[in-house]
Amino acid sequence: MAIAVESLERRIIKSIEENRQAYVATSHAIHERPEIGNEEYFATAQLQRLLEEAGFDVQAGIPEHDTAFIARKKSALDGPKIGYLAEYDALPGLGHACGHNLIGTTSVAAAIALAEVIDEVGGEVVVLGTPAEEGGPNGSAKGTFVRHGLVQDLDAAMMVHPQAETSGTSPSLAVDPIDFEFFGVSAHAAANPEAGINALDGVIQLYNGVNAMRQHVTDDVRIHGVILDGGEAPNVVPDYARARFYIRAKTRESCNDITAVVKQIAEGAALQTGATMKATHIQNGVDHLVLNEAFDELFKKHIVDLGEEYKHSKIGIGSTDAGNISRVVPTIHPYIKIGDSNLVPHTDAFREAAKSEVGDKALMKGAKALALTGLDLLTKPMILRVIQEEFKSNV
């Protein structure tokens, strides 16, 4: 079987190399037409087209997300179901400054290459087109995939994210994005202020309460917010005010606890000011990543064999909705270098790196490593069993 697998590996690499021009062109086209979460109509069409041309059965749209998709290619032979996570949304005002043009194209390229050998090895290759990873209204679509039971049949899931260094999956924080709306009573601020109830005062008291609780939380907790509405004129008591907070913590469970406290502070702020308050989760809550060392090591082997220098993962302080997938399916979210070691995501420099020659090379290497990792999962049952056992012990 070892000789046969080596032959399949060569076919996979050849497939990706022969389609390099199409994959780079797709990545650049998506980069040039950035679309924010749940508005990625151009990007999703480009990725779906590649998959359809490769013989995948593509289902466009899932409940709540028009720009999502699920693509499948199945063998007549039984075997594991291997999932690839595709992201393709951009950042408001910054375009693809997180490199999602690379993420979506890399996952699609890996899936297409792996699917070319699926008839020999058995199993199924699945691509999940997941919009709005960057959040926003009805954002973090991977949480929706989980809620609707669209990933639970996978045996494993993976993606690779552009970064300043090539490294393994790092921890990430759970996050709850919440809008706090305060409703008061309008009045003339000079003529009859006593008749008014100041909704902005409720928001300010919420801010003060959150600041007071900061000394009583663990080091992993991050709470940050902005005032989105605070009134129209200073001589009118504002009857409506709104703040948006992101509440983060090391685990989903601890995030739930912190969120409950922040909601109590908001309720107290409403009582103090006489306003009424409404708290709304504007998108799916994002879960922490459940790490899987055995799975990461499998990817590491292939990316190192392809010539990448692999760094140790740093402590994670950001958030990704890949964490939602990782709580129901063994999942990895490693990183691949696309520029200088001081490159920082969500910047102009990172956006330019995502369409650079180094970025294009990362796309090709990332696709090869993801596809070869998938081949191992399909052809080496013991490796998959070890990964799934570690998953069960970690969730």
Side-chain angles (χ1 to χ4, degrees):
M1 186 67 177
I3 296 176
V5 170
E6 290 175 1
S7 174
L8 297 175
E9 289 177 342
R10 288 193 293 271
R11 284 174 56 189
I12 284 171
I13 290 174
K14 182 181 179 182
S15 167
I16 294 170
E17 290 177 344
E18 287 181 343
N19 289 286
R20 181 186 190 281
Q21 184 175 355
Y23 296 144
V24 170
T26 299
S27 172
H28 285 204
I30 293 172
H31 189 280
E32 290 166 8
R33 292 185 58 170
E35 301 160 303
I36 62 172
N38 290 311
E39 297 181 14
E40 316 98 321
Y41 293 99
F42 176 80
T44 192
Q46 304 311 301
L47 299 177
Q48 289 181 45
R49 176 182 54 79
L50 288 175
L51 290 161
E52 288 171 347
E53 290 174 353
F56 278 72
D57 178 20
V58 179
Q59 172 193 343
I62 70 163
E64 303 178 44
H65 302 279
D66 291 342
T67 57
F69 67 86
I70 303 175
R72 301 178 181 272
K73 194 168 184 181
K74 186 176 182 180
S75 170
L77 304 174
D78 289 337
K81 294 183 180 181
I82 307 303
Y84 291 97
L85 308 178
E87 301 172 1
Y88 34 88
D89 62 316
L91 289 156
L94 278 175
H96 281 287
C98 205
H100 291 191
N101 60 300
L102 290 170
I103 295 174
T105 312
T106 300
S107 286
V108 166
I112 289 172
L114 181 59
E116 289 190 5
V117 303
I118 197 75
D119 287 337
E120 287 94 324
V121 300
E124 184 175 0
V125 181
V126 182
V127 181
L128 304 179
T130 59
E133 189 278 335
E134 296 293 351
N138 198 31
S140 301
K142 294 184 191 67
T144 309
F145 274 76
V146 172
R147 283 193 289 106
H148 287 279
L150 300 175
V151 301
Q152 283 82 341
D153 64 335
L154 297 177
D155 291 281
M158 67 189 101
M159 59 175 283
V160 63
H161 198 296
Q163 190 53 278
E165 301 287 357
T166 298
S167 64
T169 308
S170 61
S172 70
L173 302 178
V175 56
D176 282 331
I178 303 177
D179 275 5
F180 293 93
E181 297 177 282
F182 286 79
F183 305 89
V185 176
S186 179
H188 195 292
N192 64 335
E194 69 282 0
I197 296 176
N198 194 318
L200 180 58
D201 282 346
V203 167
I204 292 171
Q205 291 302 326
L206 168 60
Y207 261 85
N208 290 337
V210 168
N211 283 332
M213 76 173 285
R214 292 184 193 278
Q215 64 178 311
H216 302 295
V217 298
T218 52
D219 291 342
D220 59 290
V221 173
R222 302 285 188 274
I223 310 172
H224 36 101
V226 294
I227 297 175
L228 298 176
D229 295 285
E232 298 295 330
N235 62 339
V236 178
V237 175
D239 62 356
Y240 178 76
R242 176 170 63 115
R244 178 169 296 171
F245 277 84
Y246 279 17
I247 304 162
R248 304 183 196 256
K250 184 177 181 180
T251 67
R252 166 43 53 195
E253 291 74 20
S254 57
C255 189
N256 289 343
D257 293 340
I258 296 297
T259 295
V261 174
V262 174
K263 286 182 176 179
Q264 288 177 342
I265 292 171
E267 290 166 358
L271 286 173
Q272 283 181 283
T273 58
T276 57
M277 186 278 298
K278 179 182 178 182
T280 304
H281 291 252
I282 64 165
Q283 64 176 71
N284 290 306
V286 172
D287 294 343
H288 67 281
L289 267 166
V290 178
L291 303 184
N292 194 301
E293 185 176 347
F295 201 172
D296 252 354
E297 285 295 316
L298 192 61
F299 175 85
K300 175 183 176 181
K301 174 188 180 301
H302 291 296
I303 202 68
V304 169
D305 286 347
L306 290 165
E308 283 294 300
E309 182 181 357
Y310 194 89
K311 303 284 187 177
H312 290 295
S313 301
K314 296 180 180 179
I315 297 174
I317 57 173
S319 303
T320 170
D321 61 358
N324 297 59
I325 305 286
S326 77
R327 285 166 63 88
V328 295
V329 175
T331 302
I332 54 169
H333 182 285
Y335 298 90
I336 190 163
K337 183 179 181 69
I338 66 165
D340 295 336
S341 297
N342 61 355
L343 195 63
V344 178
H346 295 203
T347 61
D348 292 341
F350 201 96
R351 180 188 62 237
E352 297 310 303
K355 66 171 182 179
S356 67
E357 183 177 348
V358 178
D360 296 342
K361 290 179 179 178
L363 188 165
M364 298 297 288
K365 284 186 179 180
K368 291 173 184 177
L370 287 177
L372 294 174
T373 300
L375 181 64
D376 281 344
L377 298 178
L378 291 173
T379 59
K380 301 173 182 177
M382 181 58 71
I383 290 178
L384 180 57
R385 192 174 304 120
V386 169
I387 289 169
Q388 291 178 332
E389 288 174 356
E390 181 178 343
F391 166 75
K392 292 175 183 176
S393 67
N394 288 344
V395 291

